[in-house]
């Protein structure tokens, strides 16, 4: 596809799967898109996830626009293969990517006094301030900096004065179980990341693994009789919440694991109600077997730290050798966009008509239908809108 020269390109912030997908969809429509990435290569976050990670969505439903994932990757694509795919994707679509550039602030063009229109091309709407004193003027901006951007640790009482020699790291720093062989490890957080890291440690030589659970999750099979859970997520996305809660309640014994006999209470509330509130079910890739075998021990949530001990919500005191905190991430969009009034009270982008013209977001939800799939659909929607505005 020939891209028409444009004085004010579309700037895409972030060269992860969401940003690359939008850039490719725009290029396919003849719109110039420049991807700005603060790291030195595409797919930065995927390069630094833990080694054992695989997509929880099927290969067939995880391809981005214009390039299928190879069959050789298998059904559940490994982290390293995701990185290879993103590299190939950028090369295949001949995307214009500038690495080593971090955008620090986005302003509306009129507020910056930017030129309104060049000799050809769409009107300038946005000014981006970036490292090196760069001031970039664009017709549109797509923010694709990622759902898992900045590691978050809870503000646990006593954490600052925790005096133990135990190693405490966020899950973003965990790679594999080798450094934890023979050690007593506490994993904090029972989401997908915490559950998988706990199972990884249990199978990788840790002497003892405990999993601190604040809110018991629904734990579902990745697939049942060949039917992936992702497809069920796609089918129910637009059904009434109460209806889906009822269906999953009836089918609960077949869909979700019950570990109440092993120290993990059953989850409260309907599965889909929990999803709509942001609590995605945990896909079982080893946790259930590890809990039943006793190699992962569910314990109460971490309440505080006291001297050299970890205090749990039920009063239990632990002194582990290491702590891995799978406690989530912040979007960290406030310095970039907080002044524009486009973030909600949780720091996530508002949606729909509340956004000013020419500003778009992708990759800031965690849907049960699959993040890669939704980013691919978002890319096409965003590209259509931008191309239509450019042609107007």
């Amino acid at each position: 596809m020939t891209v028409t020269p444009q004085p004010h390109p579309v700037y895409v912030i972030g060269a992860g799967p969401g940003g690359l997908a939008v850039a490719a969809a725009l290029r396919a429509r003849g719109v110039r898109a420049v991807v700005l990435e603060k790291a030195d290569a595409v797919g930065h976050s995927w390069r630094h996830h833990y080694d054992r990670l695989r997509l929880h969505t099927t290969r067939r439903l995880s391809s981005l626009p214009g390039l299928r994932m190879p069959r050789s990757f298998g059904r559940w694509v490994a982290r390293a293969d995701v990185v290879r795919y993103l590299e190939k994707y950028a090369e295949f679509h001949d995307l214009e990517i500038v690495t080593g550039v971090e955008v620090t602030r986005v302003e509306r063009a009129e507020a910056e006094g930017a030129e309104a229109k060049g000799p050809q091309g769409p009107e300038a709407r946005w000014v981006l301030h970036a490292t090196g004193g760069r001031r970039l003027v664009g017709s549109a901006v797509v923010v694709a900096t990622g759902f898992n951007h900045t590691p978050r640790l809870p503000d646990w009482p006593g954490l600052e004065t925790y005096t133990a020699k135990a190693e405490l790291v966020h899950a973003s720093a965990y790679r594999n179980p080798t450094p934890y062989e023979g050690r007593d490890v506490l994993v904090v957080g029972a989401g997908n990341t915490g559950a998988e890291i706990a199972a990884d440690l249990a199978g990788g030589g840790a002497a003892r693994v405990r999993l601190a659970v604040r809110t018991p999750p629904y734990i579902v099979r990745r697939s049942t009789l060949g039917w992936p859970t992702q497809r069920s997520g796609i089918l129910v996305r637009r059904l009434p919440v109460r209806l889906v809660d009822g269906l999953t309640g009836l089918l609960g014994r077949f869909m979700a694991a019950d570990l109440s006999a092993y120290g993990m209470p059953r989850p409260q509330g309907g599965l889909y109600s929990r999803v709509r509130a942001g609590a995605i079910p945990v896909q079982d890739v080893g946790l259930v077997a590890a809990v039943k075998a006793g190699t992962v021990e569910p314990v109460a949530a971490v309440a505080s730290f006291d001297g050299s001990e970890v205090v749990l919500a039920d009063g239990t005191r632990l002194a582990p050798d290491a702590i891995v905190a799978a406690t989530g991430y912040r979007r960290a969009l406030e310095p970039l966009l907080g002044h524009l009034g486009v973030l909600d009270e949780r720091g996530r982008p508002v949606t729909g008509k509340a956004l000013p013209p020419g500003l778009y977001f992708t990759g800031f939800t965690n849907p049960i239908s699959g993040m890669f799939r939704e980013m691919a659909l978002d890319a096409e929607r965003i590209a259509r809108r931008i191309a239509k505005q450019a042609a107007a």
Side-chain angles (χ1 to χ4, degrees), residues 79-100:
R79 178 197 64 81
D81 286 332
V82 171
V83 173
R84 282 191 279 271
Y85 173 70
L86 296 178
E87 292 173 339
K88 180 63 178 179
Y89 191 84
E91 177 186 356
F92 180 82
H93 289 291
D94 194 23
L95 300 182
E96 189 174 349
I97 302 171
V98 184
T99 59

Side-chain angles (χ1 to χ4, degrees), residues 61-226:
L61 295 174
S62 300
S63 295
L64 301 178
L67 184 66
R68 290 187 176 276
M69 289 188 175
R71 289 176 59 88
S72 60
F73 285 1
R75 194 181 197 196
W76 311 104
V77 182
R79 178 197 64 81
D81 286 332
V82 171
V83 173
R84 282 191 279 271
Y85 173 70
L86 296 178
E87 292 173 339
K88 180 63 178 179
Y89 191 84
E91 177 186 356
F92 180 82
H93 289 291
D94 194 23
L95 300 182
E96 189 174 349
I97 302 171
V98 184
T99 59
V101 174
E102 180 178 7
V103 179
T104 55
R105 189 174 176 90
V106 175
E107 297 278 7
R108 301 192 71 159
E110 58 268 26
E112 285 281 324
E115 62 271 25
K117 199 167 187 178
Q120 56 181 327
E123 180 180 351
R125 288 197 175 106
W126 299 96
V127 176
L128 289 72
H129 297 274
T131 50
R134 295 175 176 86
R135 179 179 177 275
L136 308 170
V137 181
S139 59
V141 175
V142 182
V143 182
T145 50
F147 188 83
N148 297 333
H149 186 275
T150 300
R152 182 187 70 85
L153 281 177
D155 187 20
W156 285 306
L159 179 60
E160 292 185 358
T161 56
Y162 181 50
T163 58
K165 295 181 181 179
E167 174 188 355
L168 192 159
V169 299
H170 188 271
S172 59
Y174 177 88
R175 295 293 173 267
N176 57 63
T178 301
Y180 301 93
E181 290 180 4
R183 303 173 73 185
D184 179 346
V185 187
L186 174 67
V187 179
V188 184
N192 276 291
T193 297
E196 188 158 359
I197 288 176
D200 196 31
L201 288 164
R208 186 176 190 180
V209 181
R210 284 174 283 202
L211 178 63
V213 182
R214 179 170 60 90
T215 304
Y218 279 95
I219 305 175
V220 300
R221 298 181 180 91
R222 193 162 57 177
S223 66
T224 302
L225 300 176

Side-chain angles (χ1 to χ4, degrees), residues 320-372:
D321 299 323
I323 303 171
V324 180
T327 48
Y329 295 79
R330 294 185 297 108
R331 278 16 91 195
L333 292 169
E334 289 81 2
L336 187 69
L337 300 156
H339 56 287
L340 295 175
V342 296
L343 305 178
D344 65 16
E345 65 280 358
R346 294 188 297 172
R348 299 186 181 188
V350 297
T351 57
K353 296 180 180 179
L355 292 176
L359 179 63
Y360 304 89
F361 294 88
T362 185
F364 289 95
T365 60
N366 191 15
I368 57 173
S369 51
M371 185 174 284
F372 269 58

Side-chain angles (χ1 to χ4, degrees), residues 7-28:
H8 303 308
V10 176
Y11 283 106
V12 180
I13 307 174
L20 297 180
V22 171
L26 285 168
R27 181 172 177 79

